[in-house]
């Protein structure tokens, strides 16, 4: 009996590509140009991009890894691929404990288990959303808010969000969300890379988030949790509001600016 492998779509890569306002063909052309710039010509095609986004191909070769990073401005581990990493091994540290070290033999694929939703959510969350959260700065003793325009791509009950270029109140501060919808509850994780020349000097912050969706499906609000500068655990309000269900190039261009 023949079984068919279940492919997990790479919604992160798709969201990043859409955020760059590129079609699959545009993206492939940009990868080929990047290869020429890097001195590593490649044969990226629309079909290859489709295979990546559909999850059929999950581990791009090195030449594509470098081209992808050049085009998107993001490291390969932030593009939703399953990477080949050294096999982790546990060893005694000599002081009564144990450490995790990378072994020199073999590699293991860093791919998570496939999660199948009992009831897939209807396709109603894809589009451009206004993201706003509040955080307290202990070093400045003030509460601030951060705003982004993000593109949400939905696949079943999974939502993948990426901020649009230049669409944040803090310049060069890209935001990513990986969420799961369970009826009216949205749960997941967030990651934000702060600007290298900003107040937080390029620090990367991440944490968890849970929100409730209003019956209209146009607003979700809840709380985030994450660590602070002194590695204390903080929390605060987070809200997403739907701005436009279109993800055309014109729409994405319209929202590629700091939110009000």
């Amino acid at each position: 009996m023949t079984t068919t492998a279940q492919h997990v779509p790479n919604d992160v890569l798709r969201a990043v590509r859409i955020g760059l306002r590129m079609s699959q063909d545009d993206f492939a052309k940009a990868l080929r140009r990047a290869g020429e710039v890097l001195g590593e010509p490649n044969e990226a095609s629309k079909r290859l991009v489709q295979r990546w986004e559909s999850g059929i191909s999950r581990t791009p070769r090195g030449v594509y890894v470098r081209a992808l990073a050049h085009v998107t401005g993001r490291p390969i581990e932030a593009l939703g691929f399953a990477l080949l990493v050294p096999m982790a091994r546990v060893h005694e540290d000599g002081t009564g404990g144990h450490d995790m070290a990378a072994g020199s033999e073999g590699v293991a694929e860093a791919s998570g288990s496939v999660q199948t939703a009992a009831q897939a959510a209807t396709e109603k969350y894809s589009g451009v959303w206004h993201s706003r959260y509040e955080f307290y700065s202990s070093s400045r003793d003030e509460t601030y808010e951060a705003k982004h325009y993000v593109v949400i791509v939905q696949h079943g009950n999974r939502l993948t969000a990426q901020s649009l270029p230049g669409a944040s109140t803090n310049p060069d501060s890209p935001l990513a969300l990986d969420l799961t919808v369970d009826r009216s509850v949205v749960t997941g994780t967030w990651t934000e890379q702060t600007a290298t020349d900003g107040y937080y000097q390029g620090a990367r912050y991440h944490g968890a988030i849970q929100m409730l969706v209003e019956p209209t499906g146009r607003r979700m609000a809840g709380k985030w949790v994450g660590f602070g500068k002194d590695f204390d655990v903080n929390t605060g309000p987070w809200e997403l509001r739907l701005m436009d269900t279109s993800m055309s190039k014109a729409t994405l261009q319209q929202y590629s600016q700091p939110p009000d």
Side-chain angles (χ1 to χ4, degrees):
M1 183 174 67
T2 302
T3 58
T4 302
Q6 183 176 4
H7 302 298
V8 179
N10 188 339
D11 293 328
V12 175
L13 180 65
R14 183 183 174 208
V16 169
R17 173 181 61 77
I18 291 173
L20 292 172
R21 302 188 297 278
M22 292 184 182
S23 67
Q24 291 177 331
D25 191 47
D26 293 337
F27 195 59
K29 291 177 181 177
L31 292 172
R32 293 198 298 272
R33 288 195 297 269
E36 295 173 0
V37 170
L38 296 171
E40 297 180 318
N42 63 67
E43 299 178 350
S45 64
K46 178 180 178 180
R47 176 58 180 158
L48 178 60
V49 176
Q50 290 174 336
R51 287 174 62 84
W52 286 339
E53 293 187 356
S54 66
I56 295 174
S57 177
R58 301 194 60 200
T59 52
R61 293 189 290 114
V63 63
Y64 292 116
V65 168
R66 291 179 283 278
L68 282 162
H70 185 85
V71 171
T72 66
R74 301 170 185 262
I76 191 66
E77 59 268 23
L79 293 175
F81 288 104
L83 304 180
L84 293 178
V85 298
M87 180 74 75
R89 299 182 185 278
V90 178
H91 69 91
E92 294 184 3
D93 61 9
T95 59
H98 291 76
D99 290 335
M100 189 76 78
S104 58
E105 298 178 7
V107 294
E109 184 174 349
S111 58
S113 59
V114 177
Q115 181 180 13
T116 303
Q119 294 181 330
T122 57
E123 296 281 343
K124 61 179 181 180
Y125 296 111
S126 294
V128 179
W129 292 68
H130 181 284
S131 167
R132 183 187 69 85
Y133 70 85
E134 295 180 6
F135 66 98
Y136 174 72
S137 173
S138 57
S139 58
R140 292 177 284 182
D141 193 27
E142 285 190 46
T143 297
Y144 295 86
E145 65 177 13
K147 299 178 182 178
H148 296 77
Y149 285 128
V150 301
V151 173
I152 290 183
V153 173
Q154 180 171 1
H155 181 81
N157 71 329
R158 287 192 59 206
L159 308 179
T160 303
Q162 299 282 336
S163 58
L164 287 164
S168 64
T169 49
N170 299 315
D172 300 320
S173 184
L175 172 70
L177 302 168
D178 188 5
L179 309 169
T180 300
V181 182
D182 183 1
R183 289 167 292 186
S184 61
V185 181
V186 175
T187 306
T189 59
W190 61 271
T191 304
E192 185 168 4
Q193 180 71 49
T194 63
T196 54
D197 58 350
Y199 182 82
Y200 293 101
Q201 300 179 333
R204 180 177 179 271
Y205 291 97
H206 54 87
I209 183 172
Q210 188 165 66
M211 295 181 285
L212 297 177
V213 184
E214 291 186 346
T216 61
R218 301 184 64 87
R219 178 178 179 269
M220 51 186 83
K223 298 280 189 177
W224 63 266
V225 62
F227 66 91
K229 186 172 63 174
D230 299 321
F231 290 96
D232 51 340
V233 177
N234 300 314
T235 188
W238 199 317
E239 176 190 64
L240 288 168
R241 287 183 178 272
L242 180 63
M243 305 301 294
D244 203 313
T245 57
S246 170
M247 291 191 288
S248 67
K249 285 188 176 181
T251 300
L252 299 180
Q253 177 64 46
Q254 176 186 348
Y255 289 102
S256 292
Q257 58 182 332
D260 295 330

